[in-house]
């Protein structure tokens, strides 16, 4: 599986994503600079966490105009897997590849801890190694993770299984509507989540629950590859 | 010498305004003297005369400005230099001692650790968010300047009591600023400490520490050598912010200081600068590189030339500026953040320019290295300043400040007489809710402690632990200090800060390597403050010698006072230790029920009956009016070293499953922390009653460690302790019924659910801040 981790100026979880891919599935990943115009060579594209362009305007609002984002949109359209983690999720909503928006945390404070999540949809290419309803522990670290979508959009998302992860009941760290922590597009190939699965790939990090996201996408790729 | 450019854009200003901030027409050398302008820069008459004799003429306006910052306390260490020379700085592990941007120690495998701590107290007192944020930014630059990749941040913080709105504001904003910078740049903030005491009202302490990893061959230094080599300023543009920050940091009352002297940080810019500088250093074309911190271009250029014994000619008109019509004076004294001074090999300027262009940053050649020993500042064709580097650095004043033992030290009483509590448990709950003792989760949950995915022990244990990528090794990191103890016994207090830091590392499974210190004191011109400084530094030195942890970097912050009250003398020790194998990482929380709980280290002092309550947080809680009237317990450094040997060896032999040092709050607090963090209770027994029991439960005698042992290993631990002649007393056992029960001589003194302990301990700071 050929993996790309996009590096914007200000990305800071890029190397963590590379390490996690390596650790969880033994694959290497290329760091791809934000000026690159084509991502055709890659099967999985990760938009990592960080503070692209400093996030001084609104998280992800500038990064989505990077040259590389056209390539990301193009590959998403072609059915490639795209995964936005934290800042990457913000870039994907800003760029219109995922529904909704991420506002400042209700507390107006940055929040960093290991969050407890519920796997809502375990049938996506990314989550097939979890069980529906399973409780997993994945770190969060963000100041703007308060997910919002209007009622109509939410209804539609619920119907189509687009809500993939929720924060555990009573443990919503940021005020997200419907406790939403991660969502997927209708087609099921673009995932965005505020929690950091790449920070939970072995027990010394406090949890290994994130590793299954990478093993799941790897298996999905192998199946797709075998078909081709 | 008229300067055409300098006048543009200032035409509308009145002459009076211009003369205060060096715009408009620059005053002549004669005017600097006649009008006594040098005094407003912080130079004394004596210092001015010294400059005249060193130069053999009157200094011009820009030259006076340059001297004033280079000779300020902040840059010259004129009050502290003689004392600092006495610190032990050598050891087989030391690759770079004090004098560079950061110290470096060897950790084997061709790898090394660079680290340093630095204060940003004065800016934080005025503008807490930016003050704290730029403190973090500055210390990160000090580390990557050495060629090291910054991998962890820690912060040692002091604020006034939280019942004052101003203190809550300073606290909340400082924490937000630290988080804002560290989170954005992507370096985990993994540890530190926060203490609250009214002595820090309006004068908070923000000491930031950065730790970096480096390969031996990649070490860069701040030297400007090689005649003809180009000098570049790289990174952010230069603005008018922070002019005279170094001078203000050396003045008394923060409220008299100007907000405009506080810099504004841009962590995004620094992230780019960090990546670009590391990429540039890796090319091997860099001769020297130095952070532009306090006193900006002035001190970076003078220090780089001084280390190489060279000279520099710089043209300020080639420095990229953020604002129009900046004068040479402003450019030389600006403390705009996120800038570095780089000397490249001649002909390789383009390498720097290519790397920086990729990151969207500027790299501008502004001058060359010379061999004439002069710092020559030009503005185009005009020479704005020409000063021998030795006059700025080597000839900077070194003061022999008088030191007088403060009378209060001889009036301290031996033993506080407190009525014994009916229920020790209730006092324990109150103590756990004191902000100084309480869990600092409210603080550290605002810091990204996990980015880089090497944080193996997150904030909240005795020390933070981060992995060394590509090896089985890890680093344990801590900062420690206790101003009240130092105030009550400067020598022992200084030693104690070192001992506690080392003990925290040992409890985490590490061998302490070296110290970086941040020395925060009041006004050094007061002989009693200087005595505190001298004595506590001597105590630190003694402990560093005994524990073999040389001082490799550090910083001094004087004039921490407001409204005439000096802070407690507060030396803060940052320490780094090496864990040889990940399997040895040990944390403080209790791990399982049915394990034996031991206290290592003597339960009473050799004198037998001496109270440990002097200086304690418990005494401050029970009798605040008299909290400073009693002597703290003594520290036996040899006993401390033996205790640490025992703990280290017990961890190496895998005899213990958790270890927690007894410190602020005393032994019951230590038990409660092990219980609350591990969500396990225990049934424990202590001896004694009355004053002795209170002293045992709440005293802060230190040199004690609470350890948890699987019963099968208890005999081996006792044997090892006997062999090393350290006391190891079995106090009881962890339980599975969720209650912490302590009895003394058959009497139940504590019986509390762990959930209740945790609620007091965890919720206290949040409840103040809501």
């Amino acid at each position: 599986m050929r993996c790309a981790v996009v590096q914007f100026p200000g990305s800071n979880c890029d190397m963590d994503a590379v390490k996690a891919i390596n650790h969880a599935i033994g694959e290497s990943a290329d760091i791809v600079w934000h000026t690159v115009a084509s991502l055709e060579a890659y099967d999985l594209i990760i938009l990592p966490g960080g503070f692209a362009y400093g996030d001084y305007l609104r998280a992800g609002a500038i990064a989505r105009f990077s040259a590389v984002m056209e390539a990301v949109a193009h590959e998403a359209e072609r059915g490639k897997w795209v995964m936005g983690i934290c800042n990457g999720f913000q870039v994907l909503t800003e760029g219109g590849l995922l529904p909704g928006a991420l506002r400042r945390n209700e507390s107006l404070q940055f929040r960093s801890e290991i969050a407890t999540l519920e796997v809502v949809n375990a049938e996506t290419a990314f989550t097939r190694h979890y069980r529906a309803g399973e409780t997993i522990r994945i770190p969060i670290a963000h100041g703007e993770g308060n997910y919002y979508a209007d009622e109509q959009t939410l209804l539609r998302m619920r119907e189509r299984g687009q809500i993939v992860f929720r924060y555990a009941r009573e443990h919503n760290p940021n005020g997200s509507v419907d406790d939403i922590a991660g969502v997927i597009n209708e087609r099921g190939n673009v995932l965005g989540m505020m929690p950091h699965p790449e920070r939970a790939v072995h027990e010394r990090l406090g949890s290994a629950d994130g590793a299954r996201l990478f093993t799941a996408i790897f298996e999905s790729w192998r199946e797709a590859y075998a078909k081709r | 010498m008229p300067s055409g450019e300098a006048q543009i854009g200032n035409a509308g200003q009145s002459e009076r305004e211009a003369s205060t901030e060096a715009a408009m027409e620059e005053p002549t050398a004669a005017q600097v003297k006649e009008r006594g302008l040098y005094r407003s820069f912080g130079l004394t008459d004596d210092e001015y005369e010294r400059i005249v004799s060193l130069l053999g003429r009157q200094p011009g306006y820009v030259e006076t400005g340059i001297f004033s910052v280079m000779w300020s306390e902040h840059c010259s260490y004129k009050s502290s230099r003689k004392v600092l020379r006495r610190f032990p700085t050598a050891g087989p592990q030391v690759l770079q001692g004090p004098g560079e941007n950061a110290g470096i120690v060897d950790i084997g495998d061709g790898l090394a650790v660079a680290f340093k701590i630095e204060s940003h107290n004065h800016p934080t007192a005025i503008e807490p968010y930016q003050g704290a944020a730029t403190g973090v930014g500055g210390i990160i630059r000090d580390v990557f300047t050495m060629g090291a990749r910054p991998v962890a941040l820690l912060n040692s913080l002091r604020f006034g009591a939280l019942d004052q709105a101003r203190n809550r504001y300073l606290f909340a904003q400082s924490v937000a600023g630290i988080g804002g910078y560290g989170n954005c740049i992507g370096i985990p903030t993994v540890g530190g400490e926060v203490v609250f005491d009214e002595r820090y009202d309006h004068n908070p302490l923000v000491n930031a520490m950065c730790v970096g990893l480096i390969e031996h061959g990649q070490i860069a230094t701040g030297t400007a050598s090689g005649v003809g080599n180009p000098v570049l300023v790289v990174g952010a543009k230069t603005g008018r912010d922070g002019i005279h920050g170094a001078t203000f940091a050396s003045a008394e009352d923060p409220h008299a200081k100007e907000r405009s002297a506080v810099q504004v940080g841009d962590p995004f810019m620094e992230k780019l600068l960090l990546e670009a500088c590391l990429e540039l250093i890796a090319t091997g074309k860099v001769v020297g590189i130095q952070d532009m911190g306090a006193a900006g271009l002035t001190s970076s250029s003078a220090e780089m030339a001084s280390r190489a014994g060279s000279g520099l000619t710089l043209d300020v008109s080639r420095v990229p500026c953020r604002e129009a019509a900046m004068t040479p004076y402003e450019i030389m004294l600006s403390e705009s953040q996120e800038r570095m001074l780089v000397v490249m090999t001649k002909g390789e300027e383009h390498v720097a320019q290519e790397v920086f262009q990729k990151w969207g940053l500027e790299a501008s050649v502004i001058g060359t290295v010379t061999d004439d020993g002069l710092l020559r500042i030009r503005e185009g064709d005009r020479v704005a300043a020409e000063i021998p580097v030795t006059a700025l650095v080597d000839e900077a004043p070194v003061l022999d400040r008088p030191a007088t033992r403060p009378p209060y030290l001889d009036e301290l009483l031996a033993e506080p007489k407190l009525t014994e509590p009916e229920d020790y448990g209730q006092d324990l709950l109150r103590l756990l809710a004191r902000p100084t003792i309480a869990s600092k989760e409210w603080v550290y949950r605002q810091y990204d402690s996990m980015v880089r995915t090497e944080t193996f022990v997150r904030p909240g244990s005795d020390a933070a632990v981060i992995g060394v990528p590509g090896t089985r090794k890890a680093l344990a990191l801590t900062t420690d200090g206790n101003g009240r103890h130092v105030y009550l016994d400067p020598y022992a207090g200084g030693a104690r800060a070192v001992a506690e830091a080392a003990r925290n590392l040992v409890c985490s499974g590490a061998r302490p390597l070296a110290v970086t210190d941040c020395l925060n004191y009041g006004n050094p011109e007061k002989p009693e403050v200087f005595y505190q400084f001298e004595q506590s530094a001597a105590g630190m030195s003694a402990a560093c010698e005994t524990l073999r942890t040389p001082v490799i970097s550090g910083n001094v912050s004087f004039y921490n006072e407001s409204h005439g009250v000096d802070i407690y003398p507060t030396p803060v020790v940052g320490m780094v230790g090496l864990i040889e194998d990940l399997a040895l990482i040990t944390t403080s929380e209790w791990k399982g029920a049915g394990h034996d709980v031991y206290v290592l280290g003597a339960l009473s002092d050799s004198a037998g009956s001496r109270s440990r309550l002097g200086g304690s947080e418990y005494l401050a809680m029970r009798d605040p009016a008299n909290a400073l009237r009693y002597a703290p317990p003594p520290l036996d450094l040899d006993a401390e070293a033996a205790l640490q040997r025992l703990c280290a060896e017990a961890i190496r032999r895998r005899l213990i499953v958790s270890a927690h040092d007894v410190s602020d709050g005393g032994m019951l607090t230590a038990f409660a922390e092990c219980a609350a963090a591990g969500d396990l209770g225990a049934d424990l027994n202590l001896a004694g009653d009355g004053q002795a029991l209170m002293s045992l439960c709440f005293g802060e005698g230190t040199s004690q460690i609470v350890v948890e042992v699987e019963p099968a290993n208890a005999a081996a631990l006792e044997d090892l302790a006997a062999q090393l002649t350290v006391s190891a007393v079995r106090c009881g056992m962890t339980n599975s019924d969720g209650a912490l029960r302590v009895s003394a001589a058959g009497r139940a003194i504590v019986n509390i659910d762990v959930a209740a302990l945790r609620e007091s301990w965890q919720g206290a700071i949040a409840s103040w801040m809501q």
Side-chain angles (χ1 to χ4, degrees):
Chain A
M1 186 165 65
R2 287 157 306 174
C3 308
V5 177
V6 175
Q7 189 182 42
F8 300 104
S11 292
N12 63 31
C13 303
D14 39 354
M15 286 312 298
D16 298 351
V18 172
K19 273 162 66 183
I21 288 168
N22 187 262
H23 187 89
I25 58 175
E27 291 283 299
S28 62
D30 292 344
I31 296 269
V32 177
W33 191 232
H34 66 106
T35 52
V36 162
S38 168
L39 294 168
E40 211 181 317
Y42 298 100
D43 304 303
L44 169 67
I45 299 158
I46 293 184
L47 305 186
F51 286 73
Y53 295 96
D55 281 347
Y56 290 131
L57 175 56
R58 199 174 58 236
I62 296 179
R64 76 128 165 146
F65 291 108
S66 298
V68 77
M69 284 309 293
E70 274 183 46
V72 171
H74 182 67
E75 296 306 320
E77 210 158 296
R78 291 179 59 206
K80 297 285 188 66
W81 288 296
V82 176
M83 185 169 157
I85 302 168
C86 197
N87 195 217
F89 184 17
Q90 293 160 340
V91 176
L92 289 175
T93 58
E94 286 287 337
L97 273 81
L98 287 172
L102 292 147
R103 302 168 299 178
R104 281 194 76 185
N105 294 352
E106 213 167 44
S107 63
L108 302 182
Q109 285 179 352
F110 192 91
R111 186 63 73 84
S112 165
E113 63 197 22
I114 297 187
T116 304
L117 308 181
E118 180 204 341
V119 180
V120 182
N121 182 349
E123 285 166 15
T124 76
F126 298 91
T127 53
R128 56 191 288 188
H129 287 176
Y130 298 113
R131 292 185 315 276
E134 183 181 352
T135 293
I136 59 173
R137 295 175 70 245
I138 309 271
I140 58 164
H142 59 249
E144 298 180 39
N146 180 354
Y147 186 80
Y148 178 80
D150 62 51
E151 198 48 51
Q152 225 170 356
T153 308
L154 281 177
L155 207 64
R156 196 179 148 93
M157 288 170 70
R158 277 188 215 115
E159 277 169 8
R160 290 161 200 244
Q162 287 180 254
I163 297 166
V164 176
F165 297 110
R166 282 203 180 96
Y167 299 108
R169 208 176 283 266
E170 308 292 313
H171 288 94
N172 182 335
N174 52 33
S176 279
V177 61
D178 209 12
D179 298 332
I180 288 174
V183 304
I184 199 161
N185 64 344
E186 281 191 37
R187 186 168 171 182
N189 67 323
V190 179
L191 174 80
M193 59 192 295
M194 288 312 295
H196 287 269
E198 84 283 13
R199 295 186 182 187
V201 292
H202 57 78
E203 282 302 336
R204 253 192 298 277
L205 294 170
S207 168
D209 290 342
R212 279 182 282 162
L213 241 138
F214 298 100
T215 57
I217 202 72
F218 190 48
E219 192 179 335
S220 302
W221 169 78
R222 269 208 306 236
E223 286 172 7
Y225 190 79
K227 273 187 214 151
R228 270 205 291 269
Chain B
M1 280 184 268
S3 156
E5 251 189 47
Q7 293 177 20
I8 301 166
N10 284 308
Q13 279 190 356
S14 74
E15 167 123 27
R16 189 139 163 243
E17 267 178 70
S19 70
T20 55
E21 263 312 338
M24 231 95 167
E25 251 175 66
E26 199 177 277
T28 63
Q31 286 168 334
V32 168
K33 183 179 167 67
E34 281 157 25
R35 298 187 198 161
L37 291 180
Y38 59 84
R39 284 189 213 110
S40 64
F41 295 172
L43 288 167
T44 64
D45 292 350
D46 285 352
E47 285 169 345
Y48 179 81
E49 289 308 324
R50 187 183 166 98
I51 292 166
V52 171
S53 81
L54 281 168
L55 289 179
R57 59 180 167 81
Q58 289 175 347
Y61 185 73
V62 177
E63 289 170 336
T64 308
I66 289 173
F67 269 107
S68 75
V69 291
M70 287 304 293
W71 286 15
S72 70
E73 187 66 60
H74 195 78
C75 290
S76 73
Y77 292 81
K78 58 189 163 191
S79 298
S80 57
R81 199 181 282 196
K82 286 195 167 175
V83 173
L84 299 180
R85 280 188 197 131
R86 296 179 208 142
F87 279 132
T89 58
Q93 70 275 45
V94 178
L95 299 180
Q96 176 66 60
E100 264 293 343
N101 289 286
I104 301 181
V105 286
D106 185 20
I107 56 167
D109 298 329
L111 295 171
V113 188
F115 60 98
K116 190 184 184 189
I117 192 168
E118 210 164 69
S119 63
H120 235 217
N121 308 335
H122 299 283
T124 302
I126 310 168
E127 173 59 68
Y129 186 98
Q130 291 298 343
T134 53
V136 174
I139 199 64
I140 293 171
R141 284 195 301 281
D142 277 333
V143 166
F144 74 74
T145 296
M146 302 302 294
R149 157 83 50 188
V151 294
L153 294 166
L154 296 92
N155 300 281
S156 178
L157 310 177
R158 301 289 184 282
F159 298 95
L162 288 179
D163 56 3
Q164 305 267 326
R166 171 83 186 163
N167 294 330
R168 290 196 298 275
Y169 161 77
L170 290 170
F171 172 48
Q173 288 297 305
S174 300
V175 168
I178 289 166
Y181 210 101
N183 298 342
C184 181
I185 199 167
I187 301 167
T189 302
V190 297
E193 43 166 3
V194 194
V195 171
F196 302 90
D197 192 294
E198 62 190 21
R199 284 296 275 263
Y200 304 103
D201 275 353
H202 308 288
N203 196 126
L205 304 185
V206 170
N207 295 178
M209 173 171 164
C210 183
V211 180
L213 280 170
I214 187 171
E215 289 174 29
H216 288 189
Q218 287 290 325
I219 296 174
T221 53
T223 44
S225 56
V227 175
N229 280 335
V231 181
L232 293 85
V233 58
V234 303
K237 287 182 164 56
T238 298
R240 289 197 169 95
D241 49 334
I243 291 172
H244 264 304
T247 315
F248 284 119
S250 311
E252 266 180 44
D253 192 340
H255 299 279
K257 299 164 193 167
E258 294 178 37
R259 273 172 89 105
S260 66
V262 179
Q263 315 84 336
V264 177
D266 178 353
F268 169 59
M269 173 64 82
E270 179 134 316
K271 167 72 175 165
L272 303 180
L273 184 64
L274 184 170
E275 298 298 341
C277 284
L278 291 181
E279 201 172 313
L280 182 62
I281 291 167
T283 65
K285 309 290 189 195
V286 172
V287 174
I289 178 166
Q290 165 112 6
D291 160 40
M292 287 199 213
L297 187 51
T298 294
S299 70
S300 54
S301 57
E303 284 171 18
M304 285 185 83
S306 169
R307 289 196 194 102
S310 65
L312 290 178
T313 295
L314 308 178
D315 181 353
V316 292
S317 70
R318 294 163 79 175
V319 174
C321 289
R322 200 181 289 160
E323 298 169 66
M326 284 183 65
T327 64
Y329 172 91
E330 290 171 328
I331 292 168
M332 289 307 291
L333 269 65
S334 163
E335 291 191 7
S336 289
Q337 298 289 288
E338 292 93 25
R339 302 178 301 158
M340 310 279 270
L341 196 65
V342 180
V343 176
M344 297 289 293
T345 311
K346 193 174 180 181
E348 305 286 356
E349 300 87 325
H350 66 281
V351 175
Q353 277 151 349
E354 280 157 23
V355 169
F356 276 74
Q357 197 169 22
K358 176 195 161 190
W359 291 96
L361 299 174
E362 289 190 74
S364 311
V365 176
I366 64 162
T368 50
V369 178
T370 66
D371 59 359
D372 59 11
L374 295 174
L375 177 63
R376 188 182 295 106
I377 307 301
R378 311 178 70 102
E379 186 190 34
D381 292 335
R382 180 178 85 96
V383 174
E386 194 172 86
I387 308 172
V389 172
T390 51
L392 288 172
V393 181
D394 310 83
E395 299 294 334
V398 177
L399 303 174
D400 272 307
R401 296 273 190 209
T404 311
R405 184 175 164 88
Y408 75 84
L409 285 174
D410 297 313
E411 291 159 11
L412 296 177
L413 307 172
E415 188 175 352
K417 290 270 184 277
L418 299 174
T419 53
E420 196 180 0
E422 292 261 313
D423 182 350
Y424 280 68
Q426 288 309 308
D427 275 16
L428 174 61
L429 286 176
R430 282 172 59 211
L431 192 58
L432 291 174
R434 306 263 299 172
T436 292
I437 305 290
S439 161
K440 304 304 183 294
E441 188 183 316
W442 185 89
V443 176
Y444 62 71
R445 76 179 184 194
Q446 297 185 55
Y447 302 151
D448 186 345
S449 57
M450 298 175 281
V451 63
R452 294 189 56 74
T453 57
E454 294 290 344
T455 309
F456 298 152
V457 178
R458 294 184 299 281
S461 197
D462 282 20
V465 177
I466 59 168
V468 179
T471 73
R472 293 277 306 165
K473 293 175 178 174
L475 301 174
L477 319 170
T478 187
T479 66
D480 286 287
N482 184 323
R484 187 161 56 220
H485 278 275
V486 180
Y487 175 82
L488 294 171
D489 187 342
Y491 185 90
R496 175 162 309 182
V498 175
E500 188 177 340
R503 199 182 321 120
N504 280 325
L505 299 186
V506 166
C507 285
S508 302
R511 173 169 51 89
L513 290 174
V515 164
T516 181
D517 56 28
C518 200
L519 308 173
N520 308 278
Y521 296 84
N523 181 346
E525 293 158 35
K526 295 182 187 170
E528 294 177 2
V529 169
F530 205 73
Y531 176 90
Q532 294 170 334
F533 172 65
E534 239 178 27
Q535 286 298 305
S536 52
M540 291 171 72
S541 292
C544 287
E545 295 276 6
T546 304
L547 302 173
R548 297 187 187 167
T549 51
V551 174
I552 62 159
S553 59
N555 156 258
V556 182
S557 174
F558 283 128
Y559 301 100
N560 289 289
E561 59 179 340
S562 57
H563 310 308
V565 180
D566 296 291
I567 61 159
Y568 290 135
T570 313
V572 169
V573 173
M575 206 184 275
V576 174
L578 180 64
I579 300 176
E580 291 287 352
D581 191 284
L582 297 176
L584 298 178
I585 295 172
T586 306
T587 54
S588 62
E589 78 279 1
W590 281 334
K591 301 288 187 303
H595 291 167
D596 290 316
V597 175
Y598 279 79
V599 174
L600 310 182
L603 290 182
S604 61
D605 301 304
S606 46
S609 61
R610 188 160 172 184
S611 173
R612 299 170 189 257
L613 287 175
S616 69
E617 188 69 13
Y618 182 71
L619 177 62
M621 176 179 88
R622 287 284 309 273
D623 190 6
N626 293 309
L628 299 178
R629 289 190 58 212
Y630 300 96
L635 176 70
D636 179 341
L637 277 174
D638 293 327
E640 176 71 39
L643 170 71
Q644 293 188 18
R645 260 198 308 278
L646 169 60
C647 185
E649 187 57 25
I651 288 175
R652 204 183 62 78
R653 296 187 189 181
R654 319 280 167 96
L655 298 178
I656 59 184
V657 293
S658 76
H660 184 29
D661 87 312
V662 177
S663 73
D664 297 357
M667 196 180 301
L668 288 189
T669 296
F671 290 150
E673 288 167 346
C674 294
D679 203 11
L680 282 169
D683 291 283
L684 306 170
N685 301 290
L686 298 171
D689 59 7
Q691 298 294 320
L693 181 60
M694 275 193 290
S695 168
L696 180 62
C697 287
F698 297 116
E700 296 174 9
T702 74
S703 297
Q704 290 169 336
I705 296 171
V706 177
V707 298
E708 175 191 3
V709 187
E710 288 176 5
N713 290 322
L717 177 70
E718 289 187 16
D719 287 350
L720 183 63
Q723 208 181 322
L724 295 172
T725 62
V726 179
S727 155
V729 175
R730 184 180 175 282
C731 294
M733 217 173 228
T734 52
N735 66 36
S736 56
D737 63 9
L740 178 66
R741 284 182 289 267
V742 183
S743 62
R747 173 167 66 121
I749 58 169
V750 174
N751 185 355
I752 308 176
D753 282 346
V754 173
L757 287 174
R758 194 185 307 110
E759 201 183 305
S760 278
W761 180 63
Q762 234 165 23
I765 291 180
S767 74
W768 277 111
M769 301 308 292
Q770 267 159 13

